[in-house]
Amino acid sequence: MAVAGPAAAGDVVDARGRAVSVADTSRIVSIGGSVTEILFALGLGDRVIAVDQTSRYPAAARNLPGVGYARTLAPEGVLSVGPSLILAIEGAGPRSTLDVLEHASVPVVIIPDAHDADGVVRKIEAVAAAVGEPQKGRALADAVRADFASLGAAVAALKDRPRVVFVLSIGNGTAVVGGADTSADAMLRLAGLANAMSAIKGYKPAVDEAAMAADPDAVVVMRGGGQVLDAETVLALPAFAGTPAARDKRFVSLPGSYLLGFGPRAPQAARELADALHGTKLPALPPRPWASEPDE
C-alpha cells in the first residue's frame, strides 16, 4: 500500500503559469541554489534527495546526490533518483529536458527567479506553496522581508557610493564583468554601490579601455565557482592596473551562492559587501538560523 508524503500541496501555479498537481513532497529534487537554501531554511532539508551543482549551501546539500548543472540537465539523471517532486528555478534547462520532465509522471514546479527583495520573497512563497507549507513560508518570508527593510534603511543613510566592477571570470587576459540587468548589478545596488560597468548589459568581456575609463574604486569577485580569482591576478590586469581599485588594493571575494544566489541570505550578503567597501559598519541584522552556517 502506497504511503502518502508528509504534505500534499494540491494544485499550484508555477512561474510558467502552469497548474501543477502536487500529491507527495517526500522526495524532492531541488534544482537551483536558492531553491535548495529555501527548502533547508523552511526546515525541509530531510525531504531533499538530490540537488544540482549550484546548490552549495548549507553543507548538508553538498553531501546529497547530484543531478548535474541547472542549465544542462539530462532527464535521465533527474528521474533516476526517484523523486516525487521536482522544484526547478526559472532558467533551468535546457527546455528539451524540462519538456521531458513535465511529461513524466513526476510533477515539476518552476520557481520564479528575480534579483531584488520582492523577488526573493516571491521565491520563498512559491517554494513553500509547492511543498504544502504556506505557514512556514510566511514566517520565513516575513523575516527575510524585515532583513531587507533593515538593510535598505542602513544603506540609504550612507553618503558615498563607491564605483565597483564585478568580475565573473578571466579569459585570455580579459575580464568578463557584470553589467546592467545581472544578479551582480542587483547585489551591488542592494549594498549601496555603483556598478562602474553599468553601460554594458549582461555579463560580457570588458575591453581594457572601457574598464580603465570606468575607474573603479574596487573589484568584487565570487569564489567557489571553479575559477580562482585572487587580488594579485585580477588587479594586475591591464584593465584595472591604473585604477583606484588597484592602487588601494580594494578587492572583495565572497562565496558565489552567497553573493549572487538571491536566496534567504541575500540581505546578509549585501550587508557584508557594504561593510567591506563603504568603510563603515552597518547595523547588524538579527541572527537567522538559515544564515548561521559558515559558507565554503
Side-chain angles (χ1 to χ4, degrees), residues 144-163:
V144 172
R145 189 184 290 110
D147 287 348
F148 274 118
S150 297
L151 170 72
V155 166
L158 295 171
K159 292 183 172 60
D160 64 329
R161 292 290 185 271
R163 294 172 55 78

Side-chain angles (χ1 to χ4, degrees), residues 12-161:
V12 296
V13 178
D14 74 357
R16 290 175 56 187
R18 300 161 50 248
V20 182
S21 181
V22 179
D24 181 359
T25 65
S26 63
R27 294 179 58 82
I28 302 171
V29 169
S30 179
I31 299 168
S34 59
V35 174
T36 302
E37 284 196 32
I38 291 167
L39 287 166
F40 277 85
L42 291 170
L44 306 178
D46 59 339
R47 301 189 201 174
V48 182
I49 61 166
V51 298
D52 76 305
Q53 290 177 4
T54 69
S55 296
R56 306 297 300 163
Y57 186 94
R62 299 196 292 274
N63 296 326
L64 291 169
V67 296
Y69 178 58
R71 296 183 184 274
T72 57
L73 298 168
E76 299 82 4
V78 177
L79 295 173
S80 68
V81 295
S84 64
L85 172 64
I86 300 166
L87 299 184
I89 193 68
E90 196 173 18
R95 182 60 184 269
S96 58
T97 292
L98 290 181
D99 287 342
V100 172
L101 294 175
E102 289 169 6
H103 286 90
S105 57
V106 181
V108 180
V109 178
I110 307 299
I111 303 300
D113 196 17
H115 303 132
D116 57 23
D118 289 342
V120 173
V121 169
R122 288 195 299 272
K123 201 182 304 187
I124 292 169
E125 293 171 341
V127 171
V131 296
E133 297 286 357
Q135 187 171 350
K136 289 182 179 180
R138 281 192 295 272
L140 178 59
D142 287 347
V144 172
R145 189 184 290 110
D147 287 348
F148 274 118
S150 297
L151 170 72
V155 166
L158 295 171
K159 292 183 172 60
D160 64 329
R161 292 290 185 271

Side-chain angles (χ1 to χ4, degrees), residues 173-177 197 200 204-214 238-240:
T174 300
V176 176
V177 301
M197 302 305 298
I200 68 174
K204 294 179 180 176
V207 297
D208 296 347
E209 294 81 1
M212 291 182 69
F240 304 118

